[in-house]
Amino acid sequence: DMREAPSRVIIKELLARGAKVQAYDPVAATEAQRVMEGWAGLSYAESQKQALEGADALLIVTEWKEFRTPDFDDLRNSLKDRIVFDGRNLYEPELIRSFGLEYHSIGRR
């Protein structure tokens, strides 16, 4: 159910500001594509790795289990600007920063 998904609001705002968004969701991808069909600048990846290809930054807005233990070295090497915005507070700030990533934990001090 994506009727009130925060990702819809965030993606819409990013697109309005000229960003290109490559989204990946292992569970809700089909529904997301249906709900956000035709949104210019939005594409869908088939894997986490594909979603990171060419990305400036990573924005996490879901807390599926597969996102809890990423390969932080691979993440660092994939992101152009090495920036992570974590809307679900999945990671410990000190840990992710130790991999050379700029980390913004949304809603946490």
Side-chain angles (χ1 to χ4, degrees):
D1 182 6
M2 296 213 42
R3 286 176 289 183
E4 296 189 32
S7 58
R8 289 179 65 185
V9 175
I10 294 167
I11 290 170
K12 191 172 190 175
E13 184 64 28
L14 288 169
L15 295 173
R17 293 174 180 249
K20 291 181 183 176
V21 175
Q22 184 158 279
Y24 171 68
D25 189 306
V27 176
T30 302
E31 180 65 6
Q33 289 177 30
R34 185 188 71 74
V35 171
M36 296 182 272
E37 183 178 356
W39 289 21
L42 174 60
S43 62
Y44 298 91
E46 295 184 20
S47 68
Q48 291 180 52
K49 188 158 186 74
Q50 185 184 29
L52 293 173
E53 291 175 7
D56 294 316
L58 170 65
L59 172 61
I60 302 166
V61 292
T62 188
E63 47 192 311
W64 300 122
K65 188 176 182 177
E66 73 177 84
F67 297 129
R68 294 189 179 272
T69 55
D71 180 333
F72 289 114
D73 285 320
D74 190 42
L75 191 59
R76 178 191 61 235
N77 294 331
S78 297
L79 294 172
K80 289 180 186 176
D81 291 330
R82 297 182 174 173
I83 302 171
V84 175
F85 296 93
D86 183 357
R88 295 298 182 183
N89 298 313
L90 295 180
Y91 313 122
E92 288 302 317
E94 299 79 26
L95 172 66
I96 196 165
R97 288 183 183 123
S98 74
F99 285 90
L101 295 159
E102 181 179 327
Y103 184 64
H104 301 275
S105 183
I106 311 303
R108 183 191 308 172
R109 290 180 179 231

